[in-house]
């Protein structure tokens, strides 16, 4: 017997499988991990196929050394998925296969944990008799007595009652009275999240209607849904029911969330309702815990998995359902190598495994909504909040008027009054500041010079308090002492500029002395479970006002919050990115949706320098449809995705000349390709060799060749050819191709 093995080395020369002989007595299946000889070394590999014969010269074929597990670590469906992804991304199969396994499993960095246990080899009554008769060793008698009561316990537990039982156990085993053996144990991640029981809601008509469409799909051949429900419409409850049904049908479910740290409530619900069949995959698991959760899933013991984007690769048995919650979040897109979009992977899995896909959001991505309109997904809408709770009232405040009226602070008169009222009534408020740090960056008032990081070409931020009065770069961690004279013109008027969360917190404290505030941003959440602690503190009601960056806008449900303030709505509106309007709309709508989720009605105040911008207006009205139509038209007119593909070849190197030179070569080669293929050329709307807006990052100079392509088969072929091209470059520069990347900076 022979097998084809993908050897786990990511290198161009070994992208294709190698043939090995399977020794007699060894049985292997596709998906199984094996140790194989490779050159002078032993390497890990994954069996692709097993065959009876092969047409290579038999003397030159080497033998598989041993299987690494006695079961296929990658089930068949995921083998197929990896192959499909490799083909799409034009990357070696070894790279996509890696996604299917816990990272630490490769290279044998985690092991199955075992435990020594002991059990009686005789009947318990006999053991008790022997214990009574035992006169010389009290320890021996004690052990026999304990085992007669609770047979098959771990040696560790036993040694809590009997000190150093080792020798006595050995003798007992030698006399044939007990048996000592090793068993596998599982490292169960601690229940860091408190379990909550089932609230037993009566479903609302909107929830009933949505489930009316989903449940038949679960029972049948699967379906694809986009669940668009306003904030507070009870989307979670809909997919909880869908999960319950999936389990009842004997199948498994995967729930993807943008960031597990931000969804402790959801995790608690899942734990509480589904108990030990639920597995939670998050970044704070130790490698051993992660491996064991993976094994529980692989064995079919865990049948509901909740986790961030990589959980989409969970090897569940009989997949019935995948839910992608807050599907518009950019965290579903992985721009590491190999790049993938978890939503597309989920769709591909569901089709292959005949499962149901639910994408859920109050503000679906323009891409997903366009697909739903085209009929790729069935659109399920829940336009009303649970229990007829009203949507919050949104007021727009023109900050230009505030300034004209002499208010130079970051809080408008209206927001100040509302905060006071809220505090007086003992209710809670959230303030969103889409930026971090105190008085963010440093600039010269005389010449306009901005202090930038020497490694990254990005302005440095200044922090008061927790930091040490230093300027800090958020990309590479570089710190500098703030200068007292401008390095450019020598002026003394070099000042801190702009406002961040610390500044807002300070003003709120001045306005409401004695009222407790909490701040949630990059700086306050860096510790272990930083998010969880702050959110718990806020939920408990010990603090009244939560001030934070976009982190606070995500899916949180605080019934006591009656006021939400957005300090500067248009901060993100004019970034040089075609998605900035979509992102701003999503952020404002989501954060407005945090207000009034309990019994008290909610109030939202959005401060802006551009109240006439339609995006701000749609968000204030929570009007997704109008936003979508407007944005869709704009994308069609401007030829942006989903009508086109944006791609770039990014070149990076510490040496500037090398970057310029490689970028020129790349452009030349790309243009040659187009000349050779006129049909590809027709689909290219733009190709431009340019300096990105971040010119230097982490000490590397950068250049990119930007391309805009019409969506077509030809564009895909061109991208495949360009991918090949970027692989074959020198080692002085890093070159890679990005398609619709999350940022173009
Ligand atoms: P969404 O995700 O759509 O914004 P959630 O799923 O967070 O909304 O639900 C909003 C709130 O309504 C939550 O506190 C939830 O527990 C509650 N809820 C959901 N469904 C019901 C129901 N059928 N009856 C009563 N309360 C419900
Ligand atoms: Zn200056
Ligand atoms: Zn830097």
């Amino acid at each position: 017997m022979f097998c084809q093995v993908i050897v786990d080395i990511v290198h161009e020369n070994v992208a294709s499988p190698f043939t090995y002989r399977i020794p007699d007595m060894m049985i292997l299946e596709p998906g199984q991990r094996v140790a194989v000889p490779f050159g002078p070394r032993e390497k890990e590999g994954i069996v692709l196929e097993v065959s009876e014969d092969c047409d290579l010269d038999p003397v030159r074929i080497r033998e598989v050394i041993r299987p690494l597990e006695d079961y296929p670590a990658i089930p068949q469906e995921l083998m197929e998925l990896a192959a499909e992804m490799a083909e799409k991304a034009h990357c070696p199969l070894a790279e996509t296969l890696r996604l299917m396994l816990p990272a630490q499993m490769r290279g044998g960095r985690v092991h199955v944990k075992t435990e020594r246990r002991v059990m009686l080899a005789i009947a318990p009554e006999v053991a008790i008799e022997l214990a009574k008769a035992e006169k010389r060793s009290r320890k021996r008698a004690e052990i026999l007595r304990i085992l007669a009561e609770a047979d098959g316990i771990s040696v560790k537990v036993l040694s809590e009652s009997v000190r150093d039982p080792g020798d006595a156990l050995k003798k007992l085993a030698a006399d044939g009275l007990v048996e000592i053996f090793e068993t596998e144990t599982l490292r169960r991640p601690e229940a860091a999240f408190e379990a909550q029981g089932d609230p037993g809601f009566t479903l609302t008509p909107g929830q009933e209607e949505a489930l009316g469409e989903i449940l038949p799909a679960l029972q049948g051949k699967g379906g694809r849904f986009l669940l668009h429900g306003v904030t507070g419409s009870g989307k979670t409850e809909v997919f909880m029911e869908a999960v319950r049904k999936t389990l009842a049908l004997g199948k498994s479910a995967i729930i993807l969330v943008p960031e597990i740290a931000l969804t402790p409530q959801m995790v608690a619900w899942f734990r509480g309702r589904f108990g030990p069949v639920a597995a939670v995959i998050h970044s704070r698991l130790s490698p051993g815990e992660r491996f064991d959760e993976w094994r529980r899933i692989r064995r079919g013991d865990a049948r509901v998995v909740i986790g961030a984007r990589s959980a989409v690769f969970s090897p569940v048995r009989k997949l019935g359902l995948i839910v992608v919650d807050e599907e518009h979040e950019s965290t579903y897109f992985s721009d590491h190598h190999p790049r993938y979009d978890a939503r597309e992977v989920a769709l591909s899995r569901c089709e292959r495994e005949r499962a149901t896909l639910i994408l859920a959001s109050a503000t679906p991505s323009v891409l997903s909504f366009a697909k739903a309109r085209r009929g790729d997904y069935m659109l399920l809408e829940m336009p009303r909040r649970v229990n007829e709770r009203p949507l919050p009232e949104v007021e727009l405040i023109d900050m230009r008027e505030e300034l004209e009226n002499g208010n130079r602070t970051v809080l408008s008169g209206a927001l100040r009054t509302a905060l006071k009222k809220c505090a007086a009534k003992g209710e809670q408020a959230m303030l969103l500041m889409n930026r971090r740090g105190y008085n963010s960056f440093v600039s010269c008032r005389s010449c306009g010079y901005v202090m930038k990081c020497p490694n990254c070409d990005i302005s440095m931020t200044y922090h008061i308090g927790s930091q040490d009065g230093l300027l800090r770069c958020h990309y590479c961690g570089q710190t500098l002492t703030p200068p007292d004279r401008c390095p450019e013109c020598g002026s003394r008027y070099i000042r801190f500029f702009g406002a961040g969360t610390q500044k807002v917190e300070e003003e709120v404290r001045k306005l409401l002395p004695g009222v407790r505030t909490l701040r949630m941003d990059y700086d306050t959440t860096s510790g272990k479970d930083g998010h969880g602690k702050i959110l718990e503190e806020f939920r408990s009601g010990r603090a009244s006002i939560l001030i934070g960056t976009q982190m606070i806008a995500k899916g949180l449900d605080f019934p006591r919050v009656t006021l939400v303030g957005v300090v500067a709505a248009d901060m993100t509106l004019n970034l040089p990115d075609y998605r900035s309007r979509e992102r701003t709309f999503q952020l404002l709508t989501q954060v407005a949706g945090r207000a009034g989720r309990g019994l008290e009605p909610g109030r939202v105040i959005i401060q802006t320098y551009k109240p006439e911008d339609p995006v701000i207006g749609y968000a204030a009205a929570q009007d997704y449809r109008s936003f979508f139509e407007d944005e869709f038209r704009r994308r069609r007119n401007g030829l942006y995705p989903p009508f086109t593909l944006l791609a770039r070849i990014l070149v990076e190197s510490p040496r500037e000349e090398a970057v310029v030179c490689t970028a020129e070569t790349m452009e030349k080669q790309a243009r040659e390709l187009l000349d050779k293929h006129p049909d590809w050329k027709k689909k290219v709307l733009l190709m431009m060799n340019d300096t990105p807006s971040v010119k230097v990052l982490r000490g590397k100079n950068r250049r990119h060749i930007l391309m805009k392509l019409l969506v077509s088969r030809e564009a895909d072929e061109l991208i495949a050819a360009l991918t090949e091209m970027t692989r074959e470059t020198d080692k002085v520069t890093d070159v890679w191709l990005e398609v619709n990347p999350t940022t173009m900076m």
Side-chain angles (χ1 to χ4, degrees), residues 217-368:
L218 286 173
Q219 271 159 326
K221 292 181 194 151
R224 299 174 224 160
F225 300 96
L226 175 61
L227 178 59
H228 171 219
V230 296
T231 53
S233 58
K235 294 183 286 297
T236 316
E237 207 49 42
V238 171
F239 54 76
M240 287 287 201
E241 273 305 310
V243 170
R244 199 200 308 276
K245 182 77 184 177
T246 306
L247 293 178
L249 290 166
K251 298 182 191 171
S252 303
I254 299 174
I255 291 92
L256 301 182
V257 292
E259 235 173 294
I260 199 103
L262 298 181
T263 25
Q265 294 158 281
M266 177 107 76
V267 171
W269 281 328
F270 272 87
R271 278 267 165 79
R273 294 197 198 179
F274 302 117
V277 300
V280 180
I281 310 289
H282 56 83
S283 54
R284 280 174 284 116
L285 294 184
S286 71
E289 287 170 341
R290 185 175 286 248
F291 177 51
D292 286 358
E293 286 292 86
W294 178 87
R295 281 168 57 223
R296 286 206 311 131
I297 299 166
R298 181 72 188 95
R299 295 204 300 218
D301 295 343
R303 290 164 56 216
V304 193
V305 182
I306 177 165
R309 67 169 177 249
S310 61
V312 75
F313 302 113
S314 302
V316 294
R317 289 271 168 95
K318 288 204 237 160
L319 181 67
L321 172 70
I322 300 183
V323 175
V324 185
D325 193 24
E326 309 288 349
E327 72 87 29
H328 60 277
E329 289 287 346
S330 55
T331 47
Y332 288 120
F333 194 77
S334 164
D335 37 20
H336 305 297
H337 223 68
R339 299 152 36 78
Y340 66 90
D341 182 334
R343 288 162 300 191
E344 278 173 25
V345 176
L347 178 61
S348 162
R349 273 198 85 169
C350 286
E351 288 189 337
R352 183 172 294 107
E353 301 174 50
R354 294 170 139 220
T356 294
L357 174 67
I358 305 175
L359 304 177
S361 175
T363 53
S365 62
V366 170
L367 250 86
S368 295

Side-chain angles (χ1 to χ4, degrees), residues 453 455-456 473 475-476 478:
C453 171
N455 306 323
C456 298
C473 169
Y475 280 78
C476 73
Q478 167 85 257

Side-chain angles (χ1 to χ4, degrees), residues 411-564:
L411 302 177
S412 62
L415 188 50
R416 283 168 182 272
T417 315
L419 278 169
K420 272 192 201 152
K421 241 197 218 158
C422 180
K425 282 204 269 175
E427 294 168 357
Q428 290 185 306
M430 289 166 100
L431 291 180
L432 174 85
M433 182 68 221
N434 202 5
R435 198 195 265 185
R436 61 199 179 202
Y438 178 102
N439 276 344
S440 290
F441 55 97
V442 174
S443 72
C444 171
R445 291 206 173 174
S446 306
C447 75
Y449 175 82
V450 174
M451 283 294 291
K452 286 191 171 178
C453 171
N455 306 323
C456 298
D457 190 32
I458 281 169
S459 45
M460 298 191 82
T461 44
Y462 182 67
H463 296 256
I464 269 181
S466 61
Q467 313 289 320
D468 19 33
L470 293 176
L471 293 169
R472 176 179 295 275
C473 169
H474 276 300
Y475 280 78
C476 73
Q478 167 85 257
T479 54
L480 286 179
T481 323
D484 37 50
R485 275 174 186 276
C486 171
E488 198 74 10
C489 73
S491 157
R492 280 184 182 279
Y493 291 96
I494 184 152
R495 292 276 165 78
F496 305 115
F497 188 82
T501 43
Q502 294 184 15
K503 173 90 178 177
V504 175
E505 186 176 40
E506 201 171 277
E507 287 216 10
V508 170
R509 284 185 175 167
K510 252 191 272 167
L511 179 72
L512 301 166
V515 170
R516 274 207 59 195
T517 58
L518 280 170
R519 187 157 60 84
M520 182 151 136
D521 57 24
Y522 180 82
D523 299 312
T524 58
T525 54
S526 45
K528 191 170 154 71
D529 200 25
H531 296 99
K533 278 189 201 132
I534 295 173
L535 294 178
E536 205 29 65
E537 185 79 8
F538 191 55
R539 181 176 308 282
S540 74
R542 286 190 290 274
S544 315
I545 301 173
L546 176 65
I547 299 155
T549 56
Q550 40 279 59
M551 285 177 193
I552 67 171
K554 292 182 186 172
L556 309 173
D557 187 16
F558 296 109
R560 269 183 285 192
V561 170
T562 55
L563 172 66
V564 168

Side-chain angles (χ1 to χ4, degrees), residues 586-658:
Q586 286 163 349
L587 181 66
L588 295 181
T589 312
Q590 294 283 350
V591 78
R594 298 306 113 212
R597 289 168 79 91
L599 297 175
E600 295 301 312
R603 186 169 172 205
V604 181
I605 294 179
I606 295 182
Q607 304 188 154
T608 169
Y609 289 89
K610 231 180 158 187
E612 67 279 5
D613 192 294
V615 168
I616 307 249
Y618 297 141
Q622 312 244 317
D623 182 357
Y624 178 82
R625 278 295 181 129
S626 301
F627 160 74
F628 174 82
E629 297 303 342
D630 186 52
E631 185 62 17
F632 196 70
R633 207 176 313 118
R634 213 180 57 85
R635 300 241 183 130
R636 188 167 50 211
N637 295 341
L639 288 169
Y640 286 111
F643 301 96
T644 54
L645 291 172
L646 295 182
R648 68 169 174 179
I649 299 172
L650 188 62
V651 183
E652 290 190 350
S653 165
R655 290 180 37 218
E656 196 173 353
E657 330 78 72

